[in-house]
Amino acid sequence: MRTQVGIVGAGPAGLMLSHLLHLRGIESVVIDKRSRQDIEETIRAGVLEQGTVDLMTETGVGARLKQEGFVHHGIYLRFGGRSHRINMYELTGGRAVTVYAQHEVLKDLIKARLDAGGQLLFGVDDVSVEDVTTDAPKIRFSSDGARQELDCDFVAGCDGSQTICRFLIPDGEIRTDYFRQYPFAWFGILAHAPPSSDELIYAHHERGFALVSTRSPDVQRLYFQVDPGDSVENWPDDRIWAELHARVSGEGAAIKDGPIFAKAILQFRSFVCEPMQYGRLFLAGDSAHTVPPTGAKGMNLAVADVHALTRALAAYYESKSTDLLETYTSTVLRRVWRAQHFSYWMTSMLHRFPDASDFDLRRQLAELDTVTGSLAGSRLLAENYVGLPLT
Ligand code: DHB
């Protein structure tokens, strides 16, 4: 088999890259170890920046998003027992976010690729990538029991946090020590219940952080901070609702309960590797960086990476220019580090650290007061939340 760009991983980065390349007349093959069903059903985050929404709309994969997604013009920061709205729409000159689950984005991209005759191979095994420092890199894998070799011009490592591609960059050539572990995790639930709020609530509370999000008029997504060593078995439904009520309900906010049908604990990390390229290998998305979930930047960063990578590959195929390929890492890392900062900032402003003193809690409240009480502070949050424009 032969293609122009071999893509390892059918997540947001890999599928969006394949879609964008196709629109530029560049062929790709996407492989993934997971089944299509697994990819289309795994629950992840669900907030799309304005730039992600615009890109999906402009490239013909925005129809269902427009119909089923929820456009939110603001968020609430809740602290000291009261909700404070950040009017993102006004503060950013008309930008907003759309709540639409990541696996729905993946369904739309998979459908678009298959409808266009794209090659997506799910459930492959024994993947290896070779010769990335030559002009003819290869991906070897097993598919339906047969060994395959895919000859490529370039390989895109879009294989997420369990990446094999990142490990092709030799030790002396890569920094992997930009890393931070956080002393908490999120307990995430999906519940059949009416929405508790018209917009997302990010709640600071002395018992710990809580987040109220949504998925549809009758399915809600909520999260609350727990200890990283905690387990799902410790949390029967009653205890979950009591905790969410304690952290969020009160003046101007009321949690609405219902049957919970999914529970999971998400760990927190910040990570960046540098460079994100080696020879003819280019990393995009979680294979190269991870942000803590507060602010929902993960999928949006993956999309921004492959948007830049598409431009660079298109310039190569159109004019043999390698300038944009050579500067790929520095181009995308600027945005990645800004998202790292934003996610870290939101996380540290809103979560309870295990050793937090009363001083620390009061300092956090003052920070939230500064942000919500100042036009400049609110705008800083709003601009970063709706997302920087895609360059
Ligand atoms: C969701 C996830 C996030 O990390 C966030 O900041 C907001 C919403 C969500 O899954 O809906």
Side-chain angles (χ1 to χ4, degrees):
M1 290 167 80
R2 158 140 203 100
T3 192
Q4 290 175 299
V5 182
I7 302 176
V8 185
L15 291 169
M16 182 59 96
L17 178 62
S18 179
H19 174 62
L20 296 177
L21 289 175
H22 166 69
L23 298 178
R24 299 278 199 137
I26 301 167
E27 272 178 32
S28 65
V29 173
V30 185
I31 62 162
D32 200 297
K33 295 177 95 155
R34 297 166 297 167
S35 67
R36 178 176 176 183
Q37 186 180 2
D38 197 9
I39 291 169
E40 291 191 338
E41 290 179 1
T42 303
I43 307 293
R44 296 284 176 86
V47 177
L48 308 186
E49 291 179 355
Q50 184 70 58
T52 302
V53 171
D54 292 346
L55 185 66
M56 288 183 66
T57 308
E58 285 157 15
T59 63
V61 287
R64 220 160 54 87
L65 161 78
K66 188 166 165 44
Q67 228 166 40
E68 296 174 24
F70 298 95
V71 178
H72 284 193
H73 287 180
I75 56 169
Y76 296 102
L77 292 180
R78 188 164 173 82
F79 59 96
R82 292 183 50 214
S83 294
H84 305 256
R85 182 164 189 261
I86 305 277
N87 188 335
M88 299 181 303
Y89 192 76
E90 267 182 18
L91 289 162
T92 62
R95 294 167 72 78
V97 295
T98 299
V99 181
Y100 185 66
Q102 175 167 321
H103 65 276
E104 303 296 342
V105 174
L106 299 184
K107 282 186 205 165
D108 296 340
L109 288 169
I110 288 171
K111 179 167 187 310
R113 287 308 297 126
L114 294 176
D115 287 352
Q119 277 206 71
L120 310 179
L121 302 172
F122 299 105
V124 307
D125 230 331
D126 302 319
V127 180
S128 67
V129 178
E130 287 156 33
D131 303 334
V132 292
T133 53
T134 72
D135 289 351
K138 292 175 195 50
I139 305 177
R140 292 181 207 272
F141 56 94
S142 307
S143 179
D144 293 328
R147 265 328 257 168
Q148 302 283 352
E149 184 176 306
L150 177 63
D151 295 321
C152 319
D153 298 335
F154 297 95
V155 173
C158 303
D159 48 346
S161 53
Q162 307 292 317
T163 181
I164 58 158
C165 291
R166 185 169 77 231
F167 294 96
L168 297 168
I169 309 181
D171 277 349
E173 310 270 345
I174 188 170
R175 280 195 72 167
T176 54
D177 57 333
Y178 298 117
F179 180 78
R180 174 181 287 265
Q181 190 84 41
Y182 295 81
F184 30 74
W186 277 8
F187 198 112
I189 63 163
L190 284 165
H192 290 294
S196 294
S197 174
D198 57 339
E199 291 174 340
L200 270 58
I201 305 174
Y202 287 81
H204 174 277
H205 194 276
E206 60 186 34
R207 297 180 67 88
F209 172 72
L211 170 59
V212 177
S213 182
T214 186
R215 285 293 180 269
S216 72
D218 38 33
V219 173
Q220 310 313 322
R221 181 77 167 140
L222 296 102
Y223 302 93
F224 57 98
Q225 174 186 350
V226 292
D227 187 274
D230 212 332
S231 76
V232 167
E233 292 74 56
N234 294 336
W235 290 88
D237 293 15
D238 300 357
R239 185 176 173 214
I240 291 174
W241 289 121
E243 195 60 41
L244 284 165
H245 276 292
R247 295 187 192 188
V248 183
S249 293
E251 184 188 327
I255 294 289
K256 298 196 177 120
D257 316 353
I260 297 173
F261 63 92
K263 301 181 188 178
I265 292 184
L266 281 77
Q267 301 296 336
F268 266 55
R269 283 187 324 285
S270 294
F271 170 73
V272 181
C273 82
E274 186 179 6
M276 286 172 54
Q277 64 197 89
Y278 181 64
R280 289 195 164 219
L281 169 73
F282 292 84
L283 304 178
D286 278 4
S287 65
H289 44 74
T290 312
V291 290
T294 329
K297 289 289 169 228
M299 172 175 40
N300 295 294
L301 275 185
V303 168
D305 285 356
V306 299
H307 179 257
L309 185 54
T310 300
R311 282 186 55 201
L313 289 166
Y316 173 84
Y317 284 110
E318 278 155 24
S319 63
K320 287 278 173 264
S321 161
T322 57
D323 295 359
L324 293 179
L325 285 171
E326 280 159 21
T327 54
Y328 171 70
T329 294
S330 57
T331 303
V332 298
L333 276 188
R334 182 155 179 237
R335 185 189 191 94
V336 167
W337 276 111
R338 288 193 60 174
Q340 285 293 359
H341 168 252
F342 179 68
S343 308
Y344 168 86
W345 176 47
M346 290 283 278
T347 300
S348 59
M349 181 164 64
L350 290 161
H351 288 70
R352 185 186 173 105
F353 285 75
D355 54 356
S357 63
D358 287 349
F359 178 91
D360 297 321
L361 290 174
R362 289 296 174 105
R363 192 200 53 73
Q364 282 179 321
L365 291 173
E367 186 173 8
L368 287 159
D369 201 10
T370 300
V371 169
T372 54
S374 141
L375 201 56
S378 301
R379 183 168 284 143
L380 178 69
L381 194 149
E383 280 173 354
N384 285 282
Y385 194 89
V386 301
L388 308 171
L390 290 171
T391 44

